Amino acid sequence: MAELMIEKLEQIHNRYEEIDALLSDPAVYADPPRMAKLLREQKDIAPVVEGYRAYARCEDRLREANDLLSDESDGELRALAREEYDEAYRERGPLLDKLRVLLLPRDDDDDRSVIVEIRGGAGGEEAALFAASLTRMYAMYAEARRWKYEVLSVNETELGGIKEVSFLVEGTGAYARFKYESGVHRVQRVPDTEASGRIHTSTVTVAVLPEAEEVDVDINPADLQVDTFRSSGAGGQHINKTESAIRITHLPSGVVVECQDERSQFRNRDRAMKILRSKLLEAERAKQDAAIASDRKSQVGTGDRSERIRTYNFPQGRVTDHRIGLSLYKIDAIMAGALDELVDALAAASQAEKLRALSSE
């Protein structure tokens, strides 16, 4: 296993140096698309190369110290060599562990921005109110990460809840953090309208889509049916009297997207196309995943939106993620956007599962 890993690391290192040489070639410099592709590839493998070089330096130290240990003539030199050998040996294990993680299969979408869709599920108005709470939680999390947050479409209730909302979180690495949020979120709390103090259980569905670029999905304009209508707010009140809202139907797939949050028809159409591209990309990826699916299931779940992933128990102040059995008694902080502890634990569990799969191959 270790030999195969070192061989793979050497191949990646050689490729990095090959890219370095290509980037100094005038012919490549004169070809911007090729140069951009090479720079992206180099950036992707740079952490692996850096880790491999640190490991190679450690191995050199071990060899040099071992050679000095064989010198019987100088006791002081041998003592220094023993100290150097022990220190390098202690560093070697963690460096190898880090390299194993760096070599794990990486999600190609991790660096992308995301489109998040939240819908109230079972529980009526209480579910809609919790959907609004989750929306605020994610907005605050995005702000803490210095990512741009933008509502694409929202359907509110008269009491301030949200029937459904789509929003964009724009920033490098957004998908890597948000992808663990897909699924059913369950809330247990006493609604403000509950006079008897009885705890209600409601659910909210969250879907996380990597934002698709135009080059990812080829959409034929002839396959689109575009309808305009008047934007309406909670209770059916018209926000404006112009038909600025957009409904786009992708005829081959039957996917329907609406956007009515902006007064500009052009802006709504642009936002609707963003959502449509991401939905079609998700559908294509799901088809590919089904075709190559193995019997092994990730410890952190499938990410399917029908899977219950988390419970927010307000009376106990507890948030439990069922995929990894983690309970945190800090519900107020989490609802205020402090999601990193949860997300870090899910990412660590995912890495551990991948390492187990890698070692069993």
Side-chain angles (χ1 to χ4, degrees):
M1 170 67 184
E3 288 179 7
L4 286 172
M5 187 175 79
I6 298 303
E7 185 180 330
K8 186 173 183 179
L9 287 165
E10 287 173 350
Q11 290 172 357
I12 294 171
H13 185 265
N14 292 339
R15 176 58 181 165
Y16 186 90
E17 295 194 326
E18 181 186 351
I19 293 172
D20 249 353
L22 285 168
L23 290 172
S24 62
D25 185 338
V28 173
Y29 190 79
D31 185 350
R34 187 184 178 197
M35 188 171 181
K37 186 178 178 182
L38 287 169
L39 284 168
R40 277 197 302 272
E41 183 183 353
Q42 188 181 55
K43 182 185 175 184
D44 286 344
I45 63 176
V48 180
V49 171
E50 184 182 336
Y52 173 65
R53 286 175 176 171
Y55 171 78
R57 287 193 296 270
C58 184
E59 285 289 307
D60 288 342
R61 286 168 59 200
L62 282 169
R63 278 191 295 271
E64 290 168 7
N66 196 47
D67 290 343
L68 290 172
L69 282 170
S70 62
D71 185 354
E72 301 286 346
S73 62
D74 192 332
E76 188 177 343
L77 185 63
R78 289 184 78 247
L80 288 171
R82 168 54 62 188
E83 189 178 321
E84 174 69 10
Y85 184 91
D86 290 345
E87 184 182 340
Y89 188 81
R90 283 194 298 271
E91 292 175 8
R92 184 176 182 272
L95 285 170
L96 274 172
D97 290 341
K98 182 180 178 182
L99 284 169
R100 286 191 184 97
V101 172
L102 286 169
L103 285 176
L104 289 175
R106 188 172 178 275
D107 192 327
D108 292 337
D109 294 326
D110 274 353
D111 287 337
R112 291 182 187 249
S113 300
V114 293
I115 290 174
V116 180
E117 295 182 332
I118 298 177
R119 288 184 174 84
E125 185 62 39
E126 173 61 11
L129 288 168
F130 187 61
S133 298
L134 281 187
T135 302
R136 282 193 298 274
M137 178 184 79
Y138 291 134
M140 294 170 80
Y141 182 56
E143 183 181 355
R145 283 253 158 189
R146 300 187 185 281
W147 290 326
K148 181 183 175 185
Y149 169 87
E150 179 186 1
V151 174
L152 300 175
S153 178
V154 63
N155 184 357
E156 298 174 307
T157 68
E158 291 182 347
L159 296 180
I162 289 178
K163 292 180 180 177
E164 55 185 348
V165 62
S166 297
F167 57 85
L168 171 68
V169 177
E170 200 169 10
T172 303
Y175 184 75
R177 307 296 290 178
F178 269 90
K179 65 183 177 182
Y180 300 109
E181 298 303 303
S182 282
V184 175
H185 296 241
R186 184 175 67 170
V187 59
Q188 295 173 323
R189 64 182 179 185
V190 179
D192 293 337
T193 54
E194 177 59 62
S196 65
R198 186 168 58 91
I199 295 172
H200 286 230
T201 298
S202 306
T203 60
V204 169
T205 300
V206 177
V208 179
L209 317 176
E211 186 189 18
E213 298 173 3
E214 289 189 40
V215 294
D216 295 324
V217 183
D218 183 24
I219 299 177
N220 185 346
D223 291 337
L224 301 179
Q225 177 182 312
V226 181
D227 300 306
T228 59
F229 57 99
R230 291 182 182 179
S231 300
S232 60
Q237 274 190 324
H238 288 306
I239 294 171
N240 57 50
K241 297 181 179 180
T242 61
E243 294 196 343
S244 61
I246 290 285
R247 181 186 298 110
I248 299 179
T249 305
H250 184 250
L251 299 173
S253 64
V255 173
V256 180
V257 174
E258 289 185 5
C259 201
Q260 55 174 306
D261 201 47
E262 288 285 332
R263 292 182 181 274
S264 161
Q265 188 180 112
F266 175 80
R267 182 89 167 125
N268 278 326
R269 183 188 174 102
D270 182 56
R271 287 177 163 192
M273 286 300 295
K274 275 182 188 284
I275 301 171
L276 178 62
R277 278 195 294 269
S278 295
K279 282 181 173 288
L280 293 177
L281 179 64
E282 181 199 31
E284 183 59 34
R285 296 271 173 82
K287 196 186 302 180
Q288 292 171 4
D289 289 346
I292 60 173
S294 64
D295 293 333
R296 189 185 294 117
K297 183 182 178 182
S298 171
Q299 183 177 341
V300 296
T302 62
D304 191 289
R305 66 191 68 176
S306 65
E307 178 185 11
R308 191 191 72 187
I309 63 166
R310 195 176 295 154
T311 294
Y312 304 75
N313 187 306
F314 279 80
Q316 296 178 14
R318 170 176 54 84
V319 176
T320 299
D321 197 289
H322 304 290
R323 293 164 293 182
I324 54 176
L326 174 66
S327 289
L328 298 174
Y329 288 85
K330 46 179 73 174
I331 196 165
D332 290 340
I334 288 169
M335 296 309 296
L339 287 173
D340 275 334
E341 189 173 352
L342 270 172
V343 176
D344 288 342
L346 288 161
S350 178
Q351 281 188 349
E353 179 67 18
K354 288 176 181 176
L355 281 169
R356 281 193 292 272
L358 198 64
S359 60
S360 67
E361 289 177 357

